[in-house]
Amino acid sequence: MNAPSSPPNARPSILVVEDDANLRIGLRDNLQDEGYEVTVASHTQEAEPLLRSRTYDLLVLDVMLPGEDGYSFCRRLRASGVQSMVLMLTARSLEDDIVRGFDAGAQDYLTKPYRLRELLARVGALVRRAGGAPPSVMSFGGFSLDLGKRTLSRIDGSVIDLTRTEFDLLAFLLKHRDRALPRGEILDAVWGRDVIVDPRTVDNFVSNLKKKLGWTSASSFTIHTIRGVGYRMELESMTKP
């Protein structure tokens, strides 16, 4: 199964094969937010022609699919010469199931229910092994946020010290700029769904971010408070590689 290569300098490409519509859409949206080019399929018959048409950096493959399961599909892909990295997703967590996934040709295996941050970390690691990388630097208002190095620097190169949470909050606001983000959504994305935090904690962190960024009414960016909802970040100009 030989497919055309991706053009140079293209965004890393991911094919998600998942029969659950909610999970499929959620995976697509979250991966697109990270800067990946994402295609989705609901079963292997839908995925196979997509894999013939182009080369993907990563295949996110559910195991329990209607018709042909993920194990069998992965074995066929390897036998036909497909070299894309494969991350298997499944509710099966027994050691034999995990070994079966690796034996089929997968590079990684994640059990459901999975945590989004862990999934994104595993995806990022596999994409780097495949030779691609998502857009890693976002520039705005005289600042550069480097997602790979996890640094925030001014235009003169000086670095602004951020805590882990402050960095993740700023990255989330930038990725979802121009959107009204409810406090609950911010908490889930930055602190994690399994962490119990007072929603007003977001307000304190946004206030600290503004201070560290030296925000004034003359700044070319702003973090608006949406009363009763949360926050919206707006930029006059922003560049991503």
Side-chain angles (χ1 to χ4, degrees):
M1 188 185 294
N2 296 318
S5 300
S6 299
N9 303 319
R11 290 183 297 160
S13 56
I14 298 175
L15 174 61
V16 175
V17 187
E18 167 64 69
D19 63 315
D20 184 298
N22 290 330
L23 290 177
R24 187 169 63 248
I25 292 169
L27 283 167
R28 181 198 65 192
D29 292 349
N30 282 295
L31 291 170
Q32 285 178 340
D33 287 343
E34 293 297 309
Y36 300 109
E37 178 187 347
V38 184
T39 306
V40 296
S42 58
H43 48 73
T44 61
Q45 288 181 327
E46 187 178 356
E48 194 158 356
L50 295 171
L51 286 161
R52 288 198 194 99
S53 67
R54 63 169 299 174
T55 298
Y56 290 90
D57 294 298
L58 174 64
L59 173 61
V60 178
L61 179 62
D62 185 32
V63 169
M64 300 300 292
L65 293 167
E68 185 179 23
D69 65 29
Y71 297 129
S72 173
F73 187 54
C74 189
R75 280 194 300 270
R76 282 204 304 111
L77 293 180
R78 294 305 187 220
S80 64
V82 172
Q83 298 298 314
S84 302
M85 293 287 171
V86 175
L87 170 61
M88 283 190 171
L89 304 178
T90 181
R92 297 178 173 181
S93 59
L94 295 178
E95 183 179 2
D96 286 348
D97 295 319
I98 296 172
V99 171
R100 187 180 175 191
F102 287 125
D103 286 345
Q107 278 72 38
D108 204 352
Y109 193 103
L110 187 60
T111 57
K112 300 176 182 179
Y114 48 78
R115 297 181 181 181
L116 178 60
R117 288 175 64 183
E118 180 182 3
L119 171 75
L120 295 177
R122 289 173 182 261
V123 165
L126 290 174
V127 166
R128 287 191 293 275
R129 285 176 61 184
S136 60
V137 178
M138 293 185 283
S139 300
F140 69 101
F143 300 95
S144 290
L145 190 74
D146 191 315
L147 302 179
K149 296 179 180 178
R150 292 187 66 83
T151 57
L152 174 67
S153 56
R154 299 181 181 89
I155 197 168
D156 62 5
S158 60
V159 176
I160 299 170
D161 185 38
L162 296 181
T163 67
R164 182 195 67 80
T165 303
E166 288 169 345
F167 185 95
D168 290 345
L169 174 59
L170 179 56
F172 186 73
L173 292 172
L174 283 169
K175 289 175 183 176
H176 299 275
R177 60 196 177 277
D178 300 323
R179 268 190 57 200
L181 298 169
R183 287 182 177 85
E185 183 177 342
I186 296 172
L187 285 170
D188 285 348
V190 177
W191 277 263
R193 293 177 183 271
D194 55 344
V195 178
I196 300 175
V197 182
D198 187 324
R200 293 296 169 182
T201 299
V202 177
D203 303 342
N204 296 330
F205 274 83
V206 168
S207 177
N208 289 339
L209 268 181
K210 286 183 174 181
K211 290 176 183 177
K212 290 189 174 184
L213 293 169
W215 182 84
T216 69
S217 58
S219 298
S220 60
F221 68 93
T222 187
I223 304 174
H224 291 286
T225 301
I226 311 298
R227 184 170 297 181
V229 179
Y231 292 93
R232 181 180 70 249
M233 190 167 191
E234 294 182 355
L235 313 172
E236 285 186 6
S237 63
M238 175 173 172
T239 60
K240 294 196 294 184

